Amino acid sequence: MKRELIVDCKSGGTRAAVLEDGELVELHLESGAPDGQTETLYYGRVQAVRPSVHAAFVEIGQELNAFLPLEEGMKIKGGDMLIVQGVAKQTTQSKGLRVSTRVNLTGQTLVLIPGKTGVHISKKVKNPATRARLSEIGREICPQDCAIIIRTASEHVTVEQLRDEAKALLKMWETACLRARGMAKPGILLEPEPLTARLMRDMARNLERVVVNDLANYETLCRIQQEGRLSKETRVEYADERKTLLFDAFNLEMAIDKALKKRVWLPCGGYLVFDFAEALTVIDVNSGKMVTGKNMEETALCVNLEAVREIARQLRLRDVGGIVIVDLIDMETDQSRRAVLSAFKEAVKTDRMPVKIEGITRLGLLEITRKRKGEQLRRALRTTCSVCSGSGELLSEDEIARRAYRQARRMALAGQCGPFVVCLSDKSAKLLEAMPQPENCPQIYALASGGYREKFSVMQPGEGELPEQAVALQTKQTTQQ
């Protein structure tokens, strides 16, 4: 598999796209401000402890207090000062950063966990002999009162390199603790590395090419490569953007726009539909235009196989976390279900975030959980619609006209004097004009004001002050509203 990293530093921040065989699979965004970022260390003050949700809220110097889940046996009270680390951004803009008192300082080959003990080896290291060797090295280099996780990238480095990185991470922690002692109020203790450096740290051994449009970043990458922190086989290229923008050269803008859409088409003619709740993502698989199968079972299997491979990519690209339910097309045989499950397990192997597959239920629902580290792409690039408040639906023009009609009648019953001029959108005004003038009610007029389709107002001008464009409702037999 060919993996490339495309880094755009000239768009009001940093955008980094990960391509696998030319297809966009991850998009990382950074505005430049450390506030709210994961991996950032904060010195915080406990504002409130909520036993009912087994969590505390911690002031960390941001607009919103951070959410701290309480671990078993953890005892804190309001006013306590403690060091926390950003773990994940919350699913809504009304919630603060999720933090943890378990600090993970990540290097290229090691993760240092102060306050814990033990040596742990990455699950991706499969060879028993290699695991045993790394475990022995880990016990030798592990600092006192700390635990370490030996990452996959450590398989091909020397003991001296591992020891040096353990010392560097320990010094970073000691510096943060020293800084905390001198802080009088909550704030940032330790900012994470820039986005490009973090991606190099996590992906350095698996990149075929890195393309960047910033000369300073290009020189930094070249230096990292000379220091051995980036494979010498990785091609590092500088794009001057004299003829075209970097992301345009790789057709990434269109791919990003597609990742924001609710519907995703599959090559076979089927499609996926994404729906998001606060803590749940539902993906519906539809056969769409797919009609080439010999029978229903073959059609269902073909669409589902394409669907789960695309879903694995979309989960990474959109950075979807939490519970994910996939409504597959119904399959009759266990063999088909096993084939789909196997295809999905294979597709998520390249995901750097933990994905847990619960299986396919009797109703044909594929249940998944996925850990999310950053902010979902749709929340990073979009905002809630001010008209529909995020529901995606508006009241119909018919219903707006009926509501305006009832409001005028309601005012008449309350003893208010007419006539009543109802101002509403053009189409709703036409529909109101067709309604009959109620009995025992002051004259109602419809006025097309061209405003918001969901908004209307009822005015009470004097008899001689009626707008010229107002149309009176005609007296007919009254219908019950």
Side-chain angles (χ1 to χ4, degrees), residues 200-252:
M200 288 296 99
R201 178 194 70 195
D202 296 337
M203 305 173 65
R205 303 292 172 184
N206 301 303
L207 286 172
E208 185 169 310
R209 179 167 68 149
V210 181
V211 185
V212 62
N213 62 356
D214 178 71
L215 192 56
N217 268 275
Y218 169 73
E219 292 171 350
T220 300
L221 290 172
C222 291
R223 188 184 71 253
I224 289 174
Q225 192 171 42
Q226 289 172 356
E227 293 170 354
R229 290 188 285 156
L230 178 63
S231 173
K232 291 183 179 179
E233 278 115 33
T234 301
R235 300 200 319 271
V236 180
E237 300 177 7
Y238 170 65
D240 57 20
E241 293 189 322
R242 289 181 182 176
K243 294 183 179 179
T244 184
L245 298 181
L246 180 58
F247 269 38
D248 289 346
F250 288 87
N251 295 318
L252 294 178

Side-chain angles (χ1 to χ4, degrees), residues 388-405:
C388 71
S389 301
S391 71
E393 297 177 333
L394 296 173
L395 290 172
S396 68
E397 287 89 349
D398 281 344
E399 178 60 17
I400 296 298
R402 287 191 289 265
R403 290 189 179 196
Y405 186 75

Side-chain angles (χ1 to χ4, degrees), residues 28 89 138 148 213 251 266 271 375-376 421 435 463:
H28 302 271
K89 293 189 177 181
I148 60 170
N213 62 356
N251 295 318
L266 302 172
Y271 61 90
E375 189 174 24
Q376 285 196 36
V421 176
M435 293 184 180
E463 285 288 351

Side-chain angles (χ1 to χ4, degrees), residues 154-205:
S154 63
E155 288 185 85
H156 308 291
V157 299
T158 65
V159 178
E160 288 72 23
Q161 287 175 301
L162 291 170
R163 183 180 287 108
D164 289 345
E165 184 157 65
K167 289 179 180 178
L169 293 174
L170 180 61
K171 185 176 181 181
M172 191 186 300
W173 170 245
E174 290 171 344
T175 302
C177 292
L178 187 63
R179 189 174 297 163
R181 294 190 194 105
M183 292 180 66
K185 61 181 182 179
I188 294 173
L189 276 178
L190 184 66
E191 296 179 13
E193 293 181 290
L195 176 61
T196 308
R198 296 199 305 274
L199 291 172
M200 288 296 99
R201 178 194 70 195
D202 296 337
M203 305 173 65
R205 303 292 172 184

Side-chain angles (χ1 to χ4, degrees), residues 59-294:
E59 181 187 355
I60 56 173
Q62 292 191 35
E63 182 180 352
L64 297 172
N65 289 335
F67 179 80
L68 172 65
L70 299 179
E71 297 180 4
E72 193 67 35
M74 185 176 176
K75 295 181 180 179
I76 58 174
K77 62 183 185 301
D80 284 355
M81 304 296 292
L82 67 169
I83 296 175
V84 294
Q85 184 176 38
V87 176
K89 293 189 177 181
Q90 296 285 25
T91 54
T92 64
Q93 295 175 349
S94 61
K95 294 182 179 180
L97 184 70
R98 187 184 181 96
V99 296
S100 173
T101 54
R102 174 181 163 134
V103 173
N104 288 7
L105 300 177
T106 305
Q108 186 170 354
T109 58
L110 299 173
V111 178
L112 184 73
I113 310 172
K116 302 291 181 180
T117 57
V119 175
H120 310 277
I121 312 298
S122 169
K123 293 179 180 179
K124 294 182 180 180
V125 179
K126 302 295 185 183
N127 187 290
T130 303
R131 292 184 66 86
R133 179 179 63 85
L134 292 175
S135 183
E136 184 179 345
I137 294 171
R139 286 191 294 271
E140 179 186 334
I141 66 171
C142 185
Q144 190 175 1
D145 298 326
C146 293
I148 60 170
I149 299 173
I150 299 181
R151 307 183 70 194
T152 313
S154 63
E155 288 185 85
H156 308 291
V157 299
T158 65
V159 178
E160 288 72 23
Q161 287 175 301
L162 291 170
R163 183 180 287 108
D164 289 345
E165 184 157 65
K167 289 179 180 178
L169 293 174
L170 180 61
K171 185 176 181 181
M172 191 186 300
W173 170 245
E174 290 171 344
T175 302
C177 292
L178 187 63
R179 189 174 297 163
R181 294 190 194 105
M183 292 180 66
K185 61 181 182 179
I188 294 173
L189 276 178
L190 184 66
E191 296 179 13
E193 293 181 290
L195 176 61
T196 308
R198 296 199 305 274
L199 291 172
M200 288 296 99
R201 178 194 70 195
D202 296 337
M203 305 173 65
R205 303 292 172 184
N206 301 303
L207 286 172
E208 185 169 310
R209 179 167 68 149
V210 181
V211 185
V212 62
N213 62 356
D214 178 71
L215 192 56
N217 268 275
Y218 169 73
E219 292 171 350
T220 300
L221 290 172
C222 291
R223 188 184 71 253
I224 289 174
Q225 192 171 42
Q226 289 172 356
E227 293 170 354
R229 290 188 285 156
L230 178 63
S231 173
K232 291 183 179 179
E233 278 115 33
T234 301
R235 300 200 319 271
V236 180
E237 300 177 7
Y238 170 65
D240 57 20
E241 293 189 322
R242 289 181 182 176
K243 294 183 179 179
T244 184
L245 298 181
L246 180 58
F247 269 38
D248 289 346
F250 288 87
N251 295 318
L252 294 178
E253 301 293 3
M254 187 180 296
I256 294 169
D257 287 342
K258 286 182 178 179
L260 296 172
K261 294 185 181 299
K262 186 173 181 177
R263 179 174 294 192
V264 177
W265 286 96
L266 302 172
C268 67
Y271 61 90
L272 310 173
V273 178
F274 283 76
D275 279 300
F276 299 92
E278 190 159 321
L280 174 73
T281 301
V282 178
I283 306 172
D284 187 30
V285 181
N286 294 274
S287 57
K289 304 173 184 177
M290 169 67 178
V291 292
T292 58
K294 295 178 182 177

